[in-house]
Amino acid sequence: MSRAQISALVCGVGGFGALVAATTSNEWKVTTRASSVITATWVYQGLWMNCAGNALGSFHCRPHFTIFKVEGYIQACRGLMIAAVSLGFFGSIFALFGMKCTKVGGSDKAKAKMACLAGIVFILSGLCSMTGCSLYANKITTEFFDPLFIEQKYELGAALFIGWAGASLCIIGGIIFCFSISDNNKTPRMGYAYNGATSVMSSRTKYHGGEGDFKTTNPSKQFDKNAYV
């Protein structure tokens, strides 16, 4: 069992879980209290819902009922995060088949190819998530530091940091999986050939014929006439 593959699997599956949590979260951006008069009320916005809460603990969420009124960058981030989650799911499946400790996946060469494929898929998943979170964060920071923007300003939400962390884990796990091919090639699976049971006569023949000090003697010569003279 390779420790590198175990570390890669933990990073990849952990990153996939973080991507799922970030995609379904509603805290992609939160209202900043620096530009808000009522500091006891704040607004959370995500890819799928807009939520409002107050200091008393009450929350109300309203989903986006139509995709045609959603801004373009939100739709792009939706597509990127859905692609990241889908790739992370398939990467986890390929990684399980490419592990040495599993009995499925075929020979060592097939498992090495499967592990490499899982690494590539994990890297693509991390890049999609990194691109989506960075695009969303760029929009927030651009509006926040724009002095001509007079609407409600927002700050970076927790879902963005979770998405960045998950993307980093997926990329790291994918790189480790790609480099684990050399480890698979260095430790091939050993095979043992069965020659079958040898008979007693063949073993005696090998014993007398293989040793240099022992010679085979003819039994008829041992009882020759000259032996008794």
Side-chain angles (χ1 to χ4, degrees):
M1 187 183 300
S2 176
R3 295 182 179 179
Q5 287 189 343
I6 295 176
S7 301
L9 182 64
V10 171
C11 290
V13 175
F16 168 68
L19 296 184
V20 174
T23 305
T24 57
S25 176
N26 296 322
E27 297 187 15
W28 280 66
K29 62 180 180 180
V30 296
T31 54
T32 173
R33 297 186 180 184
S35 60
S36 179
V37 179
I38 305 175
T39 58
T41 304
W42 55 89
V43 177
Y44 297 97
Q45 289 191 11
L47 298 178
W48 316 101
M49 291 185 182
N50 296 334
C51 299
N54 53 30
L56 299 177
S58 61
F59 290 91
H60 177 71
C61 294
R62 179 178 61 85
H64 301 295
F65 294 104
T66 178
I67 63 174
F68 298 105
K69 292 184 179 180
V70 180
E71 298 184 34
Y73 76 97
I74 296 180
Q75 295 182 4
C77 292
R78 282 180 175 181
L80 288 170
M81 294 306 295
I82 291 175
V85 171
S86 301
L87 290 172
F89 173 76
F90 288 109
S92 301
I93 299 298
F94 293 151
L96 291 176
F97 281 99
M99 294 288 291
K100 284 184 177 181
C101 57
T102 58
K103 296 183 179 180
V104 293
S107 61
D108 289 342
K109 186 179 292 185
K111 282 181 175 291
K113 293 180 180 180
M114 195 72 68
C116 182
L117 179 61
I120 295 173
V121 172
F122 272 132
I123 292 174
L124 292 177
S125 175
L127 291 177
C128 288
S129 176
M130 191 75 70
T131 304
C133 294
S134 300
L135 178 63
Y136 202 96
N138 180 64
K139 181 67 175 179
I140 295 173
T141 54
T142 302
E143 294 178 350
F144 186 86
F145 292 105
D146 187 4
L148 301 178
F149 188 77
I150 59 176
E151 297 181 6
Q152 178 66 55
K153 294 184 177 182
Y154 295 89
E155 294 179 350
L156 302 179
L160 291 175
F161 298 99
I162 296 174
W164 281 325
S168 301
L169 288 175
C170 286
I171 293 174
I172 293 173
I175 293 174
I176 297 175
F177 264 122
C178 290
F179 280 102
S180 66
I181 302 177
S182 59
D183 190 15
N184 287 338
N185 293 330
K186 290 180 181 178
T187 57
R189 187 177 297 175
M190 298 297 296
Y192 297 93
Y194 177 71
N195 296 325
T198 57
S199 62
V200 178
M201 294 300 295
S202 62
S203 63
R204 289 181 178 178
T205 305
K206 291 181 180 178
Y207 177 75
H208 289 291
E211 296 292 338
D213 297 336
F214 296 92
K215 297 181 179 179
T216 58
T217 58
N218 191 356
S220 61
K221 292 183 179 182
Q222 294 180 359
F223 300 97
D224 195 10
K225 296 179 180 179
N226 297 329
Y228 298 96
V229 178

